[in-house]
Amino acid sequence: MLRGFYTSASGIMMQERALDVLTNNMVNARTPGFRASRVVNTTFEQEFLTRMEKYNTAGIGKGAPISVVSDVPTSFDPNSLEETGRPFDLGINGIGFFNIQVQQGEGDPQTYLTRSGNFDLDPEGYLVLRGKGQVMGEKGPIQLTSSNFRVEENGEIYDEDNKLVDTILITVPTEGAEIEVNENGMYSVENMELNQQVNDQTLLVQGWVERSNVDLNREYTLVMEAQRTLQACSTALQILDKINQKAAQQIAEL
């Protein structure tokens, strides 16, 4: 009886986690540069199963009644670009991430990685990612004197007087580094200073942004599948609970 409770409960928790990830993908379907995630499950621990029927106790193999989340991987493959016509928008055609410096409270600023390139200028003239932080260049946060500037394919920024301002920093984490997924298409790694600059291996396109790689049709299908599985596990749990209550009442009547 307890095995059934564990199986149903683990199924409910698995599908709740899957729904959280899927709905987050759907919410960010229009977020430039966003990368979809998936829930990967695995069995908790295999147990040796034995047939219990009168005097027959033959072994029938191994099984695992409980499933748990083993990983939530994110696909970082480059996606297609979409033209916007805005001079502040930048799309990465190739590998790498923009570096965004975010000021959190009174402590030191934190640097994040993103593929989202829908930038703006703040009142002080810094190139920023909306609601997040400042875009980093090789010399630090990028500051411009006006909105009349151009960005070359290698990331070099020139002002209206054709003077080199800075080069946008495009980096990738070192091989084997664990990328932590944050909100709204922002990512981080433990040792950001070890990231490698890859401006010579990628192209920047001004007036374009990278599309999210979320396929809404597929996400809707997976959400419905997860909801049906959750409902089935919930129903099974209710049935097991009623069976347990009835068994307890009958035993009490003896």
Side-chain angles (χ1 to χ4, degrees), residues 14 21 30 64 77 89 93 121 141 166 173 195 205 238 248 250:
M14 272 289 307
V21 172
R30 297 296 298 173
D77 294 335
D89 290 340
N93 186 12
L121 286 184
D166 202 345
N195 291 356
V205 185
Q238 293 174 6
Q250 291 179 346

Side-chain angles (χ1 to χ4, degrees), residues 191-207:
N191 297 313
M192 293 287 292
E193 64 276 5
L194 299 180
N195 291 356
Q196 301 173 353
Q197 187 171 349
V198 291
N199 286 60
D200 58 341
Q201 302 178 42
T202 189
L203 299 177
L204 279 184
V205 185
Q206 188 174 13

